[in-house]
Amino acid sequence: MNEVCFVQKLSYVLIVCASLAHLSSANATVTIYVKQNATGANTGVDWDNAFTNLDTALSSITVPNEVDYEVWVAAGTYTPANLATGFVLKHDLAIYGGFVGTELSRSQRNWETNLTVLSGDVGNDDTATCMSDTQCTPGTYGYCLDERCIGVNNSAHVVYVDESAEDDYSATLDGFTITRGNAQQEIIPGTFDEDGGGGVVFVGGSATFRNCVIKENRASDGGGGMYSFSTMKARLSNVTIMDNVANHGGGIGAKNIGIVEITNSRIINNRAAGDGFEGYGGGAELEGVSGSVVTMVNTLIAKNVASGSFGGGGLYMLNSGLTVNLKNCTVVDNRADHLNASGGGLFSPSSSLVNIDNSIIWGNEASTGKQIWTSQGPSRVTVQYSNVRRIASEGNIFGSVDFTGPNVFGDNVNPLDPENHDPHFADAGNGDYTLTSIPISVGKNVCIDAGSHELIPADVLDVDGNGDTSEPVPLDLLRNARQLEDRSTIDTGTTVSGCRVADMGAHEFTRPLCSKAHIVSSVPADWTIDARQPHPLYDSSLPARQGIRSAAEPIVITLDVSGSSSLQCWELC
């Protein structure tokens, strides 16, 4: 919820928000500029003399080197010259999109407004419209992606992470749309296996992706959006992987996954289109080796489809060396379509270790194990502080799942909640999976204020950009503050500082602010709130003098907290 919290301490504490600048390495940084309509010397030294072609800019960089490179790319659509590799990410190279082409600092760019597209449609001929694959000419296009047929002459991969990108994640792509790659068998004879990773392919090394959309890519084998031929080490923050198609692993395909961290991201509307024993992992296919760890935080996995007889509409997880951690994730409305398929949400056919914390698994469809399908041996799937639809007669769970934690709902009918612990999404039909409150007379939304503070992981990818990677992840998928107390909901989760409780799922429930509050400290022991409100505020603990006025008048509340160090939370709406 939106709140104001007060702490009375023995002395005044002034908290000043400061911006700290950090050097990323001891190396000097060289900036190279790319702008399609630049008319200068085409040297890349500034915007006026920017390279007009991204390939030219990247070919000017050698690895290893004694400097760190940043490439700033102005808005536009860029296609690769090499159809086999696409644009190559390298060690100590960060490529940033979203510029107009006049900026003096990276903070001035807007990647959402100034669309910068890396496209595999090198001939700019993916123009045939379609509503289904059957309307695309076999041997010429073959697949319908976002109502346009994708051409066989497109680049096999749009982005290529090679072995020179060392394990420090310094190879970075930030602020781009990656689209229309079409990975097939040997576009160029004699080159490496090219049938996986239409959008992004890993053949070694590590990379960081931020503020990117990977959409409408295709692969004849695995990973329409992203694929790994070797041990994949990746960090994804605020990345959307959507509308991709592959034989298996529609969004992500990883045969030898390494260490992957995905935070504040979306894996939606992807399709594993293979039939028979193929067609598994609509959202992602994760196949590990010893020590493989995949951690997803504040991530929405929704409306993905697996067409084959195995299943895994949302996630397909395989091999005993693999650990998958789902933290504050929402896995919803995924499907395993085949008559014999299992695991509409999650499919773990071997002894992979799967930890589900503060998450929602709901509304997925399959013949067996609609929400979760796992082996029937000793449980390797653990659920804590999560809402998993579990009604036995519906076939939601198959196999051995350890529901160890409290606040796991969905298996018993609550007479005050006729929808049986439904998460009450705002508009699931149109893809809005934010949480909504329900009338007290009906019950409560069991996902609000029901998570565990202790299970929120560290902000390794620094989603708020404050340089603190040890704090708990502070923002939800929509960049709202995490752990906002809703005072109209009974807390069933664990608190921090006796005040804030996290919600389940990728979205934190928020109430709209009626007005901004101006906080004044008049004397050391007294605090005053002056705000215009439509209805009274209330205090659940310490004595207070509460003034109640009409909506047009201010409410003034004075809290007397002398001798107390308790934290007080006040709802503004």
Side-chain angles (χ1 to χ4, degrees):
M1 88 169 225
N2 296 301
E3 62 183 25
V4 181
C5 294
F6 303 94
V7 182
Q8 170 65 35
K9 297 185 177 180
L10 295 178
S11 61
Y12 283 104
V13 177
L14 179 63
I15 302 175
V16 179
C17 296
S19 174
L20 301 178
H22 297 275
L23 294 177
S24 60
S25 71
N27 293 345
T29 299
V30 173
T31 301
I32 298 173
Y33 299 83
V34 179
K35 186 177 182 181
Q36 286 180 325
N37 60 355
T39 58
N42 197 35
T43 56
V45 297
D46 54 31
W47 287 121
D48 290 337
N49 298 288
F51 288 118
T52 57
N53 182 289
L54 180 56
D55 270 319
T56 305
L58 297 182
S59 65
S60 70
I61 300 171
T62 59
V63 175
N65 52 66
E66 297 301 323
V67 299
D68 297 336
Y69 284 95
E70 289 190 5
V71 180
W72 293 9
V73 185
T77 298
Y78 299 83
T79 57
N82 189 324
L83 299 186
T85 61
F87 300 108
V88 180
L89 280 183
K90 304 175 182 179
H91 177 61
D92 285 340
L93 168 64
I95 309 174
Y96 296 94
F99 294 91
V100 172
T102 58
E103 293 87 348
L104 300 178
S105 70
R106 205 185 333 132
S107 63
Q108 294 175 312
R109 69 180 181 136
N110 186 328
W111 68 274
E112 294 176 297
T113 300
N114 306 315
L115 294 182
T116 313
V117 180
L118 306 182
S119 174
D121 183 13
V122 293
N124 195 30
D125 57 0
D126 284 6
T127 56
T129 58
C130 57
M131 293 302 295
S132 68
D133 294 343
T134 58
Q135 295 175 322
C136 298
T137 306
T140 304
Y141 293 99
Y143 279 92
C144 183
L145 297 178
D146 194 32
E147 300 184 5
R148 286 192 299 146
C149 297
I150 187 167
V152 297
N153 294 321
N154 288 18
S155 175
H157 318 290
V158 181
V159 176
Y160 175 102
V161 182
D162 73 2
E163 61 277 3
S164 73
E166 299 177 9
D167 290 347
D168 61 358
Y169 302 96
S170 64
T172 301
L173 197 71
D174 186 329
F176 289 90
T177 296
I178 302 167
T179 189
R180 311 304 288 184
N182 192 358
Q184 312 167 69
Q185 292 274 348
E186 290 202 0
I187 290 180
I188 302 175
T191 57
F192 71 93
D193 191 15
E194 292 166 336
D195 56 359
V200 179
V201 64
F202 280 75
V203 296
S206 67
T208 298
F209 292 82
R210 294 193 199 94
N211 306 321
C212 287
V213 177
I214 303 173
K215 69 174 187 176
E216 299 167 29
N217 299 283
R218 182 248 174 181
S220 62
D221 187 31
M226 181 177 286
Y227 192 69
S228 173
F229 285 106
S230 62
T231 303
M232 175 183 177
K233 294 183 179 180
R235 289 178 171 175
L236 279 62
S237 179
N238 196 26
V239 172
T240 296
I241 300 175
M242 62 182 292
D243 298 332
N244 302 285
V245 63
N247 203 31
H248 49 87
I252 299 174
K255 290 291 188 183
N256 298 292
I257 204 160
I259 307 297
V260 175
E261 296 164 298
I262 302 175
T263 300
N264 287 45
S265 294
R266 299 168 178 84
I267 302 173
I268 55 176
N269 297 321
N270 300 286
R271 178 165 45 120
D275 54 15
F277 293 118
E278 299 289 341
Y280 49 85
E285 161 211 0
L286 308 174
E287 298 192 27
V289 295
S290 179
S292 297
V293 179
V294 178
T295 300
M296 299 187 184
V297 183
N298 293 342
T299 295
L300 173 65
I301 303 168
K303 296 189 175 181
N304 302 287
V305 178
S307 300
S309 58
F310 275 178
L315 299 180
Y316 173 94
M317 300 163 285
L318 184 66
N319 294 333
S320 60
L322 172 66
T323 297
V324 177
N325 302 308
L326 301 180
K327 307 275 191 179
N328 281 102
C329 290
T330 300
V331 182
V332 62
D333 288 343
N334 301 284
R335 305 195 321 266
D337 274 353
H338 193 278
L339 179 64
N340 299 318
S342 305
L346 306 176
F347 183 74
S348 180
S350 63
S351 54
S352 299
L353 177 61
V354 183
N355 301 307
I356 302 170
D357 302 325
N358 291 354
S359 294
I360 301 172
I361 317 292
W362 198 272
N364 303 287
E365 291 295 333
S367 293
T368 57
K370 294 176 185 290
Q371 313 310 323
I372 302 173
W373 192 101
T374 186
S375 61
Q376 292 182 296
S379 177
R380 298 276 288 175
V381 178
T382 300
V383 181
Q384 298 185 84
Y385 291 91
S386 296
N387 187 358
V388 180
R389 190 170 180 87
R390 294 171 61 193
I391 301 172
S393 61
E394 297 179 350
N396 286 287
I397 307 295
F398 180 89
S400 181
V401 178
D402 184 7
F403 290 91
T404 60
N407 310 318
V408 179
F409 303 97
D411 57 352
N412 53 351
V413 176
N414 180 349
L416 294 180
D417 185 0
E419 297 193 43
N420 199 52
H421 297 311
D422 188 294
H424 299 284
F425 296 124
D427 189 358
N430 290 309
D432 183 354
Y433 296 104
T434 55
L435 302 175
T436 60
S437 62
I438 58 178
I440 295 176
S441 59
V442 175
K444 66 162 282 187
N445 186 326
V446 296
C447 297
I448 297 175
D449 289 354
S452 170
H453 165 69
E454 288 80 7
L455 295 175
I456 299 175
D459 187 18
V460 175
L461 302 189
D462 194 19
V463 297
D464 58 352
N466 68 353
D468 186 353
T469 58
S470 62
E471 65 178 341
V473 175
L475 304 177
D476 74 350
L477 179 58
L478 296 180
R479 299 190 66 78
N480 294 314
R482 181 57 84 178
Q483 302 183 105
L484 290 178
E485 172 85 0
D486 181 46
R487 293 306 293 265
S488 65
T489 299
I490 298 173
D491 295 344
T492 52
T494 65
T495 66
V496 53
S497 301
C499 179
R500 299 174 180 175
V501 186
D503 297 341
M504 296 175 180
H507 303 91
E508 189 80 3
F509 174 68
T510 59
R511 293 182 183 273
L513 284 172
C514 300
S515 66
K516 294 182 179 179
H518 176 60
I519 303 170
V520 179
S521 176
S522 55
V523 295
D526 292 341
W527 294 91
T528 300
I529 307 174
D530 187 346
R532 296 179 183 273
Q533 305 295 337
H535 59 75
L537 305 178
Y538 63 91
D539 176 28
S540 64
S541 52
L542 292 182
R545 298 187 297 278
Q546 180 169 307
I548 302 175
R549 302 289 186 271
S550 68
E553 297 178 283
I555 293 176
V556 179
I557 300 174
T558 301
L559 295 180
D560 182 5
V561 291
S562 302
S564 171
S565 60
S566 299
L567 184 65
Q568 300 301 299
C569 300
W570 289 75
E571 185 177 344
L572 291 184
C573 287

